[in-house]
Amino acid sequence: MPAAAGEVAGAVAAALTELGAGPADTASAVVAAASAELGLPGALADRLPELRLHVVGDVVAAWASVARAGPAVGAVAGTGSNVFGVGPAGAAWRAGGWGHLLSDEGSAWWLAVRGVAAALAERDGTGPATALGAAVRRHFGVARVEDVQDAVYAQPFAKDAVAAFAREVAAVARDGDEVALGLLRRAGADLGGLIGAVVARTGLDREADVRVGTVGGAWQSGPALVDACAAVVARAAPGARLVAPELEPWGGALVLAGRAAGVEPDAVAAGVLRARA
């Protein structure tokens, strides 16, 4: 965490320098980060004591990127997964986001680990035939599927390197492999379950139009995942629809910072869109 806080503080300081400003000139700042609750606020406050700083989870910025801080849902499915939403009466709820050892269902990590497991099950004779074995050998650079054990365990653990195999699972699914397609459908259904829990807890399930912003690379895995998710979400909230957020997550963080400074979210979002254009 000290290293992470140092990187974030350095980025903030560089941005302020580029603007010719200092922490005391800043009305509000938002840092949106994974595992934000694990000591990051205190570590950043020590490094940037003059900054009016708010630290939130990355999924909150994802929500703001689609909602402009209004009723909607942000659904992150990248290396990990996390869903957050706010209802029409202001009720907020988060589902998922418990990390790769405990959940992260529907994420790239989830897809990758289960893709490797499916390849090993074919090798063991306990699972159906699948092209995932060849994908494992190619991605991890091993001669035999069983050698993936050494490739994963016999070096410093790199979560991102394992999660990157999700792209291979998606590619195998696009070629029609039923095992890979099944994994994508299950991932989508699990994400749909998280979204359904959030819309129910926030009262969004009773709304006629609910935007669910999809953020993260796992959403690009293919229609099998997206369609399975949409089907589960439709049962939970007929008015819900999956959409690409208008802003990137950093734009959502700026919307939150503007809101904390008393600036209308629509005005901040419009400024972000103009700057990006």
Side-chain angles (χ1 to χ4, degrees), residues 236-249:
R241 55 192 174 96
L242 303 180
V243 299
E246 180 183 35
L247 306 173
E248 293 166 283

Side-chain angles (χ1 to χ4, degrees), residues 102-117:
L102 300 177
S103 63
D104 271 351
E105 52 267 56
S107 67
W109 167 264
W110 188 99
L111 277 170
V113 169
R114 280 154 186 80
V116 172

Side-chain angles (χ1 to χ4, degrees), residues 62-81:
W63 157 73
S65 72
V66 66
R68 296 192 180 188
V73 176
V76 174
T79 302
S81 62

Side-chain angles (χ1 to χ4, degrees), residues 167-247:
R167 291 192 290 269
E168 298 293 338
V169 177
V172 171
R174 284 194 294 273
D175 289 337
D177 185 272
E178 284 299 324
V179 174
L181 282 167
L183 291 175
L184 292 187
R185 294 182 186 117
R186 183 179 163 193
D190 285 351
L191 287 168
L194 294 176
I195 295 166
V198 169
V199 298
R201 289 279 190 160
T202 58
L204 286 167
D205 56 332
R206 298 184 293 273
E207 296 296 299
D209 183 29
V210 180
R211 288 169 297 155
V212 179
T214 55
V215 176
W219 289 109
Q220 310 306 316
S221 298
L225 183 149
V226 175
D227 292 348
C229 179
V232 173
V233 171
R235 291 194 293 270
R241 55 192 174 96
L242 303 180
V243 299
E246 180 183 35
L247 306 173

Side-chain angles (χ1 to χ4, degrees), residues 81-135:
S81 62
N82 207 345
V83 179
F84 175 82
V86 177
W93 194 253
R94 192 200 85 184
W98 305 115
H100 67 285
L101 293 180
L102 300 177
S103 63
D104 271 351
E105 52 267 56
S107 67
W109 167 264
W110 188 99
L111 277 170
V113 169
R114 280 154 186 80
V116 172
L120 290 170
E122 181 195 22
R123 179 266 174 205
D124 290 346
T126 60
T130 174
L132 287 168

